[in-house]
Amino acid sequence: MGRVWSLFHKFASPKWFYEISGKLLPWFVAMTGLVLCTGVVWGLAYAPPDYQQGNAFRIMYIHVPASILAESSYMMMALAGAVGLIWKIKLADLALKTAAPLGASLTFLSIATGAIWGKPIWGTWWVWDARLTSMLVLLFLFVGVIALRSAMENKEAAGKACAILALVGLVNIPIIKMSVEWWFTLHQPSSFKLTEKPAMPPEMWIPLLIMVVGYYSAFATAWMMRIRVEILEQENRTQWVRDRVRTA
Amino acid sequence: MKFGNMKPHRRRRLYVVLFLVVTSSAAVGLTLMALNENINLFYSPQQIASGEAPVGKTIRAGGVVVPGSLRRDESSLLIEFDISDLKTAPLRVAYTGILPDLFREGQGIVALGKVNQQGIFVAEEVLAKHDENYMPPEVAAAIAAAHGESE
């Protein structure tokens, strides 16, 4: 127990986090590049076409991971908000702050690729069904968190307000997930369920899984880069940042 | 993490966070339950037949295109077909215009329009639904062939 706590407190130290993320970052950059390239080439060029949609279904390899990551990044942001509220850790607030624009971009990518996919296959860019609408709400939540912070002068109060908004919006995640089950929607149900086999053969879902891993890795990379900048800015009066800037 | 030996002020804040998430989720959940029917994108033929759908208003109807029901007009873009939820009598749909590529018999569709006096759903827009199953064309062909043999 004591060990977990000391790790937790170490993690909360900006200096320690800056150093460990600096060491991890090159590996993450390399992994992201490798995994995303493999997934893109496999998915877009080598996976077989779909019997109904032909090659149009390949946009799935961009759309599905973007949607998964949009939801994951929201959950991570809300978790950071909870940790920040309960333990008053500055780093948690930075984690929330830096995740929001990434999550907003991923949600936008999901909605945009969904619209591009929907036009030829469904016959429309957009319908107000439960899945598409709840995804739009997710975009507004991310944008709301970003806007709320920039609207408030007091940094500590802004962090608290953002954490509360992120936590209140958490209810949207199960709604997005279950929307296609609970209501009649134009969007089809999920092809992946925990209890069942995927609704596609391995030559289709393996590249998709690779893309999902690649997106997670890309998110981690971009997030670490952003939070490192924030740490330097926040800690700019401390000795270790001054030493580092001097040697750089 | 063990919450038993948490500092009291932190435990209090933890409860506040939990309370916040639970109450906001309950509020949203109850609202959605109250709005349940309105969140559905379309009505099924059964709901339209039973008068659950508003009469004389533009609504969306959804169902599977009944195989063999498709009729195309020879001199115009008019097309007529039945949609069914496999429970009640099918609903006749008339549509003039260009259909999405995925439209075919046996496919799920969602149409926007009104039911006229003859009980025909006059659509101004037809969208195609697809399911969550993806497969290569060879596999689909093999399944179709196996299906044909067994029948």
Side-chain angles (χ1 to χ4, degrees), chain A residues 9 11-15 17 80-81 83-98 149 155-156 159 223 227 230-231 233-238 240:
Chain A
H9 284 117
F11 237 103
S13 144
K15 178 171 185 268
F17 188 86
V83 170
L85 282 180
I86 298 166
W87 282 278
K88 306 268 179 203
I89 294 169
K90 278 191 282 180
L91 197 59
D93 184 44
L94 293 185
L96 185 154
K97 184 183 180 184
T98 46
R149 187 178 297 273
K155 269 190 184 176
E156 204 176 319
W223 176 74
I227 201 164
E230 292 286 338
I231 288 172
E233 215 170 278
Q234 186 191 274
E235 306 284 305
N236 64 359
R237 287 171 194 283
T238 60
W240 73 269

Side-chain angles (χ1 to χ4, degrees), chain A residues 71 130-131 134 171-185 189-190 193:
Chain A
E71 290 171 83
R131 171 55 73 81
S134 57
V171 61
N172 193 38
I173 297 297
I175 295 174
I176 295 174
K177 182 87 191 106
M178 299 310 291
S179 56
V180 288
E181 309 281 335
W182 287 341
W183 299 295
F184 289 158
T185 55
S190 174
K193 295 190 181 88

Side-chain angles (χ1 to χ4, degrees), chain A residues 2 6 11 36-37 46 48 59 72 106 121 150 181 211 215 245:
Chain A
S6 73
F11 237 103
L36 276 186
C37 284
Y46 290 99
I59 199 168
S72 293
L106 286 161
I121 300 302
S150 61
E181 309 281 335
M211 285 303 284
Y215 266 65
V245 171

